[in-house]
Amino acid sequence: MAHTVLVGASRRQPPRSAPAGPGRAAAPRGRSGGPRREGRAGAAGAPTIGLRAPAGRPPRSRGGGRAEVAVHESARPPVMADVAARAGVSLQTVSRVVNGHHAVRSDTRERVEAAIADLGYRVNTAARALVTRSSRTVGVVGVSTAEFGPTSALHGLEAAARAAGYATSVVLLPDVDRAAVRAAVDNLRDLGVDGLVVIAPDDAAVAALEALEASVPVVTLEAPLDAAVGGALPSASVDQERGARLAVRHLLDLGHETVHHLTGPSDWLEARSREAGWRAELEESGARVPEPVPGDWSASSGHRAAQQLVDDGATAVLTGNDQAAIGLLGALWQRGLAVPGDVSVVGFDDVPEAPYLVPPLTTVRQDFDALGRRCLDVLLARLRGEEPDVQRVEPSLVVRLSTGPPPRR
């Protein structure tokens, strides 16, 4: 819709009457004989809305000092009433569809969703938050790291939140301490998040949670239940001990007398849980428990540990993660040792590269998508005031070609 706006009004007013004379044209007259008016002017100097000037003639006002400028009003964004009219339903039905309620017939939901897509309708989140007292946003505090586990856990959580109609607001901290976590939580709370997820993979993150006070529900991700501030906070995690047990049992069933272990960093909760599972399975099987070789999550730690493992007579090794296993595979090849002919190797995580290594790596797979869904389910249960289901996500063993029977002596 186009409006014509008169701008730059002159203070000079035209005379009320001017007789026609030489050199002066008579004013155009209307049907009643009076002067023809093209619009009503407001106060002197104020912009005035009037009619568009005839085509081909410069726009002028009666006083000769006002220029007419066409201003095109942009189309307003569609609102919920537009969606309801297009779909032929009530406003309440549109609201139910937008907010994910299940009490809507499938064909009605499809019509509303089609109308939303056709009109380009977008929900006014601020208005919805005022009505529902929910921003449908989850705040996430995590560690700024390239490690596969925490980053995959974050991706799994974001995917689960998106599928449930929630947005995520993420703060990644380069250093995790109480002050940094406190500041991040306060920032997210001020943004109006419904709940918080804190990714707590190591001792520093768990310690930072001990004095945490938040006005919204909090769930920890990756921290085992007994480490989540003494069990005070519900946690979603993978059963790391179970994963290590699966790997050890697989190697023992192949005929190896024992299984050596290259650990992850000692301050990471997952590393300690995997070592605990490795030790428990060996002890319950009556097998000798070798001294674990300390390492970290890097390929270089696996490469460095190779000589010690070979000197210890290892025929089967469980590494802390797949990156360490990659370094170990390279070092064994450099020493002329075959995998699995001389040494069997099992990793942990099932990184995307694992099937394409030489040989393809047997490893423990963590289902990070399931972990994200479990974490969101726990948080949503807390938002509803319900007791959350905090069962751990079960890992699985993916057997490839890096494991086999022990060599014949």
Side-chain angles (χ1 to χ4, degrees), residues 244-286:
R245 281 177 171 268
L246 290 173
V248 171
R249 172 48 49 196
H250 167 66
L251 292 166
L252 294 178
D253 288 345
L254 288 172
H256 294 274
E257 294 181 358
T258 190
V259 178
H260 289 67
H261 183 41
L262 172 61
T263 71
S266 60
D267 62 335
W268 279 62
L269 307 173
E270 292 179 344
R272 294 203 297 270
S273 295
R274 293 169 192 179
E275 181 179 345
W278 161 79
R279 187 181 301 276
E281 189 66 24
L282 288 177
E283 289 177 345
E284 291 180 12
S285 301

Side-chain angles (χ1 to χ4, degrees), residues 98 137 173 206 208 232-233 262 281 343:
V98 168
T137 302
L173 304 174
V206 173
L233 293 177
L262 172 61
E281 189 66 24
V343 182

Side-chain angles (χ1 to χ4, degrees), residues 215-228:
S215 57
V216 296
V218 180
V219 174
T220 64
L221 180 61
E222 287 206 313
L225 302 180
D226 54 357

